[in-house]
Amino acid sequence: MPEQGREQWTSRLGFILAAMGSAVGLGNVWRFSYVTGENGGAAFLLIYLICILLIGIPIIMAEFTIGRKAQSDAVGSFEKLAPGKPWKVAGIMGVAAAFMILSFYGVIAGWISYYFVNYLTGNLWTMPAEGYDGFFVNFITNTWHPLIWQFIFMVLTIGIVFVGVKKGIERANKILMPLLGILLIVLSIYSLTLGGASEGLAFLFTPDWSALADPKIYIAALGQAFFSLSLGMGALITYGGYLSQKENLPGAAYSVAGLDTLFAIISGIMIFPAVFAFGIAPDSGPGLVFMIMPDVFDSIGFGGGIFGLAFFFLLAAAALTSAVSLLEVAVAYFIRKFSWTRQKGVLIIGGIIFLIGIPSSLGQGVLSNISIIGDRDILDSFDFIASNIFLPLGGLIIALFMGWGWKKADALRDSDYGDSAIGQLWLFLLRYLAPIAIFLIFLSSIGFFSTGVE
Ligand code: PHE
């Protein structure tokens, strides 16, 4: 029986749409493009795809299975299924990751919202005097403007979670996500005509194998896979908890992973040809989309601003459904733990997350000389710790829990795999391949396998 007062998705489609809405977001466009650009392109993409196939999909299935079985939040699910056992640390880390990720996600989504409004007012329809790059840098290094937009975006996120799970998310997703998909396809076809097509496509699809020698691309690819799939922190456990027993889980898992990956690849085809056409360095970092896309819209000429408007609007909407799932992970835990009302939980947790995000915003300007990890600024450091460490580690524990903590027959039945060969493969991946691969990637990221010759 579901816990008292727990909502359920209104339809089968509702759940898949919500999981897709969580997965598809800034991770597919903003983060995918700049991380791919920084890590050499095609070789990175290949590792990323392998991570999705062999580690991501099995763990999505594990999260769905755990969530539906337990019908509780990220921590409560482990407490319910394995009382008194330490597995729930995955859930606790997941809640911590939700705080960290949403804190900087709100900042970037605020930037997107600001661009949307600047296309709405026509301000960016023609190139500003300081150029598009200058416009971007002036904005993010300003103390107050990005904070205001981060605040606005967080208020929207809080508002949606405030009114409950199903009402807010299901409706918007059904219309806006397909529109975003169509727009990205149209823009990627256009981008291919800009003169950088061969270089851009080669960068994205023809691997430079020497890039594989760099140990940092593995952890970057793994982190990107987890981030983009909303994986490793119990977001999909929490959403799975609102699911009825009727769902076919493997079908849902493949659709979510497939669609999310498709969005990322299409974004790549949209961005990299343009990057080469306009002579911007692919490894320009987190500002990449903000610097390149206005050039693309500008080059369309009259009416290009409409595309800019639609692009930033739909991306902000996609970011909103992802942000909602992040907030939901934290809120679902706290309202159960402290018996708060949903409303109270949403306001408190949402408010705290906004505050935690402030240093990430200021880190672009007044606090830009502060770096936490290596030469990463505050935002990047939060991202690194949460996405490249917490999520994969959470995923590792979830894989072990499903693979070793459950009876084999139960796992196969509860996942809807039944006694099929693919079910056996799934358990093999969870038991051995995924945990070992994640472990090795961690070792390599701390320089364990490097010869010391750089
Ligand atoms: N997957 C989301 C995106 O790509 C971000 C996210 C990460 C959401 C983790 C929930 C949990 O934008």
Side-chain angles (χ1 to χ4, degrees):
M1 276 301 281
E3 278 167 21
Q4 262 270 304
R6 282 182 72 80
E7 297 181 74
Q8 294 225 331
W9 302 105
T10 49
S11 63
R12 185 192 129 87
L13 200 61
F15 166 74
I16 295 195
L17 281 169
M20 285 173 174
S22 169
V24 174
L26 298 179
N28 305 68
V29 182
W30 163 72
R31 201 176 188 281
F32 173 78
S33 59
Y34 99 75
V35 175
T36 303
E38 276 182 346
N39 288 282
F44 170 86
L45 179 62
L46 185 70
I47 305 295
Y48 167 70
L49 293 176
I50 294 174
C51 286
I52 290 182
L53 203 65
L54 298 182
I55 302 174
I57 293 177
I59 298 178
I60 299 182
M61 272 305 293
E63 288 206 25
F64 280 177
T65 307
I66 294 167
R68 183 176 64 180
K69 182 85 183 166
Q71 307 265 317
S72 184
D73 56 88
V75 180
S77 293
F78 291 99
E79 286 172 345
K80 224 167 175 176
L81 298 175
K85 301 256 176 66
W87 297 111
K88 71 171 180 181
V89 2
I92 295 168
M93 280 176 34
V95 172
F99 273 82
M100 281 192 274
I101 294 179
L102 185 53
S103 77
F104 71 80
Y105 205 87
V107 174
I108 306 288
W111 299 357
I112 301 276
S113 313
Y114 177 72
Y115 270 65
F116 159 63
V117 170
N118 273 276
Y119 274 99
L120 190 66
T121 59
N123 195 24
L124 282 178
W125 287 45
T126 49
M127 186 165 336
E130 70 269 39
Y132 287 117
D133 296 3
F135 177 86
F136 175 65
V137 173
N138 286 343
F139 168 61
I140 63 165
T141 54
N142 182 291
T143 300
W144 292 104
H145 291 175
L147 275 184
I148 292 170
W149 287 98
Q150 179 203 352
F151 180 76
I152 292 173
F153 180 82
M154 288 303 297
V155 167
L156 288 174
T157 307
I158 289 169
I160 292 183
V161 182
F162 194 89
V163 297
V165 175
K166 63 189 173 209
K167 275 178 267 161
I169 318 168
E170 286 180 25
R171 272 183 239 146
N173 269 355
K174 226 178 273 182
I175 309 166
L176 298 182
M177 215 175 6
L179 282 182
L180 177 63
I182 293 168
L183 181 67
L184 293 180
I185 292 172
V186 170
L187 288 173
S188 56
I189 293 170
Y190 172 71
S191 173
L192 289 171
T193 67
L194 290 175
S198 57
E199 275 174 289
L201 292 178
F203 181 78
L204 196 57
F205 296 118
T206 312
D208 164 11
W209 300 112
S210 68
L212 296 180
D214 183 353
K216 85 175 195 310
I217 92 164
Y218 299 93
I219 190 81
L222 185 70
Q224 176 59 25
F226 272 86
F227 185 95
S228 194
L229 295 170
S230 304
L231 208 54
M233 53 171 275
L236 301 180
I237 293 181
T238 307
Y239 272 21
Y242 301 114
L243 193 62
S244 74
Q245 303 295 327
K246 289 186 292 256
E247 192 73 36
N248 174 266
L249 294 186
Y254 305 149
S255 332
V256 171
L259 189 89
D260 188 71
T261 308
L262 202 60
F263 265 87
I265 292 176
I266 296 170
S267 304
I269 300 176
M270 172 182 77
I271 285 168
F272 288 107
V275 160
F276 287 97
F278 293 109
I280 289 182
D283 58 355
S284 301
L288 191 64
V289 236
F290 296 92
M291 296 195 286
I292 199 71
M293 292 314 290
D295 279 328
V296 172
F297 302 129
D298 193 53
S299 73
I300 296 177
F302 184 75
I306 299 275
F307 285 92
L309 177 71
F311 176 78
F312 286 106
F313 171 73
L314 293 171
L315 196 53
L320 199 56
T321 52
S322 302
V324 160
S325 73
L326 284 158
L327 185 53
E328 181 65 27
V329 169
V331 167
Y333 167 68
F334 279 97
I335 60 180
R336 177 186 56 84
K337 184 88 184 163
F338 298 116
S339 310
W340 289 343
T341 62
R342 164 167 286 271
Q343 278 76 4
K344 179 176 170 189
V346 172
L347 291 177
I348 295 177
I349 304 300
I352 293 175
I353 292 176
F354 167 71
L355 296 177
I356 299 177
I358 290 178
S360 288
S361 179
L362 298 181
Q364 314 302 312
V366 285
L367 300 183
S368 62
N369 50 356
I370 297 183
S371 34
I372 304 178
I373 302 183
D375 55 1
R376 293 166 190 273
D377 65 25
I378 301 176
L379 190 154
D380 208 7
S381 302
F382 267 78
D383 189 358
F384 184 85
I385 297 169
S387 315
N388 293 8
I389 300 175
F390 274 47
L391 298 186
L393 204 57
L396 173 75
I397 300 173
I398 291 168
L400 293 175
F401 176 59
M402 191 86 244
W404 298 99
W406 285 33
K407 285 206 203 76
K408 207 169 171 176
D410 290 351
L412 289 172
R413 186 198 57 225
D414 294 333
S415 63
D416 301 335
Y417 269 129
D419 199 15
S420 59
I422 186 104
Q424 303 288 343
L425 174 66
W426 173 60
L427 281 180
F428 169 80
L429 293 174
L430 286 179
R431 287 184 158 190
Y432 304 102
L433 192 126
I436 293 172
I438 294 172
F439 184 68
L440 291 179
I441 291 174
F442 273 136
L443 285 185
S444 91
S445 78
I446 54 172
F448 194 80
F449 302 119
S450 66
T451 50
V453 210
E454 282 287 314

